[in-house]
Amino acid sequence: MRQQLFFNPTMRDIPQGADVPSHQLMLRAGLIRQTASGIYTFLPLGLKVLRNIERIIQEEMEKAGAQELLMPAIQPAELWEESGRLKDYGPELMRLKDRHDRDFVLGPTHEEVITSLVRDHITTYKKLPITLYQIQTKYRDERRPRFGVLRSREFIMKDAYSFDTDRSGLDTNYERMYEAYQNIFTRCGLDFRAVEADAGAIGGKGGTHEFMVLSQIGEDTIAFSDTSQYAANVEIAAVLDTYEKAVPPAASLEVIDTPQMKTIDDLTAGLNLEKASLLKSVLFIADEEPVLVVCRGDHEVNDIKVGNALDAREVRLAEPDEVQDIMGTEAGFVGPVGAPSQVKILVDAAVKTISSGICGANEKDKHYQNVHPGRDFPITEYGDYRIVQEGDPSPDGQGKIRFAEGIEVGHVFKLGTKYSEALGAVYLDENGRSQPMVMGCYGIGVSRLLAAVIEQHHDENGITWPGSVAPFDVHLLVLNPKQDDQHELGEQLYTRLQDNGYAVLYDDRKERAGVKFNDSDLIGLPVRITCGKKAGDGIVEVKRRRDGKMEEVHVNELFSYLETLRK
Ligand code: ATP
Ligand code: MG
């Protein structure tokens, strides 16, 4: 590609509103432009990278036995009615009507469409298992689109769906996809971790993993062991219960005045106590039922664990007026002692360690002191309801928990029969009995992945593409095209490099050398070849972008030298 006419608007300065390196560099190097909030155009340079990533994904999917198809972005709302998600999905689902006033949605994902398709065309075990995938545009009206294509409202996803006759078939397919994902992210040059994730009510244990690209700007936190392979999303990372039950104090329960002391910080300051000796009580509404969760003052309640323990579809914090109605006081003064009988109480295991604690007295400006769990309020069972913290023992018993930030680029999930049952995707087994198909789904955020590659591959001057996804292999620069020897050598190399299978971006522009070098660093192709002053002697300068390794090379040796650079 000759750069003179290449549609590649670059920018020198950091664009306003772009807060993370990948977003800044994608704008500056001319990979994308914003069309509307959270909606982007891929420019030619960006599209080339996207296509390279897609090709890697396609190769690995085919290797894993998946077949590519392409489903529509527009989906009839009735399908979403059938699966029950039209209501559940909420405002992220973009809805529209056609001229006949019929309801449609812009697909945020394709379980409904694929399940109805397979339902209509596969009826016997003889045609199973099957895995189908597509690379397609998705729509999610995100509350906070940000960081460019990392969280956008229109984005490209690879989504695959497996259909099996039974659970063990699903396990096999899941393994196969998991491996394919490892290959894909490795080939894209990424430092990533597969972590256990929240499967909600349907997945079951070990039923879902997220693939996280390690990066400080990641929105997810990974909890991992400092000695073993254990890694999980902090949302679900279990806390190993190694607590000993404290002995009760001699003193009995007593009400104390705690005016305006509504938070753990207020109490520790006001009463001069350690956080770990306080009981923190938080009221949730789980599928319409009030649940009071009690943990230690130095811990945080994990609502996902609460939801999973109760097998609840939805868990949310109670609103202030609900707290008032249910507990008879405001949030800062609620507690398990004397709580109304219709309120379910869940107590985190660490609360065991409290001998003589403080908790809300369910009355404004009052707390109880000398509270002993089990003595002063009943506990049937302690559970794991808190967020894991750094320094906690790893749940596999090996080492301590550390945290790292990650960008979720992929997600594999054992769906089971949720959608096949809702939409009637059944098959006849060997005995002629009708059975629901057992499904898995597997997503990769393709456009997000592109940004994640840049997050891990850039320096202060620009992008440093891994060769596998780079938009071109070589950046060929002619410093002064008015000099005949430079121009001629440039033209000659442009042809020869392409004849030898290299994708070349050829800077034939009439710009100053400094501009060319800056743009070249910004765009970040793996190798730069410069025809400059020594062109007359057949000598070019070759620079490897990744580490700045630079050498003068005679054109006769150029191709063998380029081979050595690949290593
Ligand atoms: P997140 O927690 O980041 O919102 P998700 O759990 O909603 O992700 P999935 O429904 O599992 O995501 O979608 C599969 C993949 O699609 C994700 O792993 C992610 O890489 C990508 N993805 C999801 N939402 C977006 C978005 N708004 N913009 C770009 N990519 C996205
Ligand atoms: Mg999401």
Side-chain angles (χ1 to χ4, degrees):
M1 173 60 65
R2 287 175 189 271
Q3 214 167 330
Q4 178 61 32
L5 293 178
F6 188 40
F7 184 44
N8 175 232
T10 55
M11 295 154 94
R12 188 159 315 172
D13 300 320
I14 294 174
Q16 285 237 323
D19 298 327
V20 296
S22 61
H23 189 197
Q24 294 168 359
L25 288 168
M26 287 181 81
L27 289 167
R28 288 184 55 214
L31 272 62
I32 54 165
R33 282 295 179 269
Q34 180 177 297
T35 303
S37 164
I39 298 175
Y40 291 87
T41 296
F42 276 86
L43 300 176
L45 193 69
L47 188 62
K48 277 185 181 291
V49 186
L50 204 59
R51 292 281 181 259
N52 289 342
I53 293 174
E54 289 174 358
R55 204 192 54 247
I56 292 173
I57 294 175
Q58 282 163 332
E59 286 171 7
E60 295 298 333
M61 283 295 113
E62 302 285 327
K63 255 198 256 168
Q67 305 172 43
E68 186 169 11
L69 47 48
L70 184 60
M71 290 178 270
I74 297 187
Q75 311 180 4
E78 294 97 76
L79 275 179
W80 284 70
E81 199 94 68
E82 264 187 77
S83 72
R85 281 208 289 187
L86 196 59
K87 264 206 324 281
D88 291 353
Y89 215 90
E92 253 185 42
L93 187 64
M94 291 202 173
R95 298 151 205 256
L96 69 157
K97 282 186 189 293
D98 72 1
R99 64 166 76 199
H100 306 294
D101 214 29
R102 280 190 290 249
D103 292 310
F104 289 85
V105 306
L106 287 178
T109 175
H110 278 70
E111 281 83 6
E112 281 78 1
V113 176
I114 195 98
T115 309
S116 77
L117 182 76
V118 170
R119 163 189 74 191
D120 293 346
H121 298 285
I122 294 185
T123 52
T124 159
Y125 73 94
K126 290 177 200 151
K127 294 286 184 190
L128 294 172
I130 189 168
T131 302
L132 299 165
Y133 81 98
Q134 64 174 347
I135 295 176
Q136 196 256 5
T137 308
K138 298 280 186 275
Y139 298 86
R140 294 183 184 180
D141 202 354
E142 298 276 354
R143 195 164 50 88
R144 266 187 86 197
R146 60 180 192 151
F147 298 166
V149 297
L150 278 172
R151 183 170 298 285
S152 50
R153 300 198 294 166
E154 176 180 302
F155 61 97
I156 297 171
M157 195 199 284
K158 185 285 302 183
D159 45 330
Y161 305 88
S162 65
F163 296 83
D164 273 276
T165 54
D166 55 24
R167 193 84 200 178
S168 83
L170 168 61
D171 290 346
T172 307
N173 257 323
Y174 186 87
E175 271 305 310
R176 207 174 278 161
M177 279 293 149
Y178 186 103
E179 263 172 45
Y181 274 39
Q182 293 201 302
N183 294 343
I184 290 165
F185 301 129
T186 304
R187 285 179 66 183
C188 289
L190 291 165
D191 183 11
F192 66 95
R193 298 285 181 280
V195 308
E196 288 174 27
D198 177 39
I202 50 170
K205 206 170 156 36
T208 175
H209 288 84
E210 290 164 346
F211 288 81
M212 298 282 188
V213 168
L214 301 181
S215 163
Q216 278 174 0
I217 64 124
E219 294 179 285
D220 286 274
T221 303
I222 305 165
F224 64 95
S225 161
D226 61 3
T227 42
S228 76
Q229 284 300 305
Y230 176 83
N233 192 311
V234 73
E235 289 178 344
I236 63 129
V239 176
L240 194 62
D241 179 357
T242 52
Y243 302 108
E244 301 226 351
K245 179 92 181 86
V247 291
S252 55
L253 197 66
E254 200 178 338
V255 177
I256 50 168
D257 286 326
T258 48
Q260 299 302 322
M261 296 184 204
K262 294 184 195 172
T263 64
I264 293 293
D265 284 339
D266 295 342
L267 285 164
T268 46
L271 306 174
N272 198 16
L273 287 169
E274 297 266 307
K275 280 186 183 178
S277 65
L278 303 178
L279 291 101
K280 184 189 280 185
S281 310
V282 188
L283 190 69
F284 288 92
I285 307 292
D287 292 346
E288 316 296 319
E289 300 295 326
V291 182
L292 191 70
V293 186
V294 184
C295 71
R296 234 167 53 181
D298 56 337
H299 294 147
E300 294 296 333
V301 175
N302 182 328
D303 55 348
I304 289 179
K305 288 182 180 175
V306 172
N308 288 342
L310 298 170
D311 215 355
R313 211 168 25 82
E314 188 206 43
V315 173
R316 60 174 176 83
L317 274 179
E319 299 291 337
D321 56 330
E322 291 172 314
V323 178
Q324 191 70 46
D325 281 355
I326 296 163
M327 304 299 294
T329 185
E330 60 190 271
F333 303 102
V334 304
V337 180
S341 59
Q342 83 272 18
V343 178
K344 193 173 180 118
I345 297 177
L346 298 180
V347 185
D348 183 73
V351 169
K352 268 186 241 177
T353 61
I354 297 178
S355 162
S356 175
I358 303 272
C359 74
N362 298 317
E363 194 183 336
K364 191 169 162 47
D365 295 337
K366 308 266 186 219
H367 277 79
Y368 283 116
Q369 68 178 10
N370 310 326
V371 183
H372 188 73
R375 181 190 75 180
D376 299 320
F377 62 97
I379 297 170
T380 35
E381 205 182 348
Y382 288 99
D384 174 15
Y385 305 115
R386 73 169 174 95
I387 298 174
V388 77
Q389 293 182 344
E390 281 194 286
D392 277 331
S394 175
D396 64 356
Q398 297 177 51
K400 288 199 186 325
I401 287 295
R402 294 270 163 271
F403 285 176
E405 310 306 320
I407 302 168
E408 181 195 322
V409 289
H411 193 176
V412 291
F413 199 106
K414 291 181 187 173
L415 287 170
T417 54
K418 178 181 153 109
Y419 292 97
S420 48
E421 277 177 18
L423 293 150
V426 295
Y427 68 95
L428 293 179
D429 69 13
E430 281 146 304
N431 304 314
R433 269 196 307 261
S434 175
Q435 308 268 13
M437 298 181 195
V438 183
M439 293 174 58
C441 69
Y442 317 92
I444 292 180
V446 183
S447 37
R448 178 183 287 185
L449 181 56
L450 196 169
V453 170
I454 299 176
E455 285 299 334
Q456 284 194 346
H457 296 274
H458 70 271
D459 61 19
E460 64 282 6
N461 298 320
I463 304 169
T464 57
W465 290 114
S468 57
V469 303
F472 297 92
D473 303 313
V474 172
H475 206 168
L476 178 64
L477 270 55
V478 172
L479 285 192
N480 186 355
K482 286 190 207 128
Q483 296 279 333
D484 286 345
D485 50 356
Q486 291 190 28
H487 172 75
E488 269 160 35
L489 187 62
E491 292 292 322
Q492 192 198 97
L493 285 180
Y494 182 45
T495 311
R496 279 185 61 202
L497 282 162
Q498 291 182 98
D499 288 349
N500 280 274
Y502 289 89
V504 186
L505 180 62
Y506 176 29
D507 194 347
D508 55 346
R509 297 175 301 167
K510 294 182 182 61
E511 295 281 357
R512 282 183 296 112
V515 172
K516 292 186 178 190
F517 285 140
N518 284 345
D519 277 351
S520 181
D521 277 349
L522 180 60
I523 291 170
L525 303 181
V527 175
R528 185 184 82 192
I529 301 175
T530 308
C531 305
K533 288 210 176 79
K534 296 189 183 167
D537 304 325
I539 290 172
V540 292
E541 181 197 80
V542 183
K543 181 185 162 194
R544 183 159 68 185
R545 177 68 181 92
R546 159 156 69 86
D547 55 5
K549 180 182 155 78
M550 195 136 67
E551 202 108 10
E552 287 191 339
V553 181
H554 195 276
V555 285
N556 292 344
E557 272 107 53
L558 183 61
F559 287 94
S560 53
Y561 182 72
L562 289 179
E563 275 310 309
T564 66
L565 281 191
R566 281 178 192 265
K567 288 172 196 128

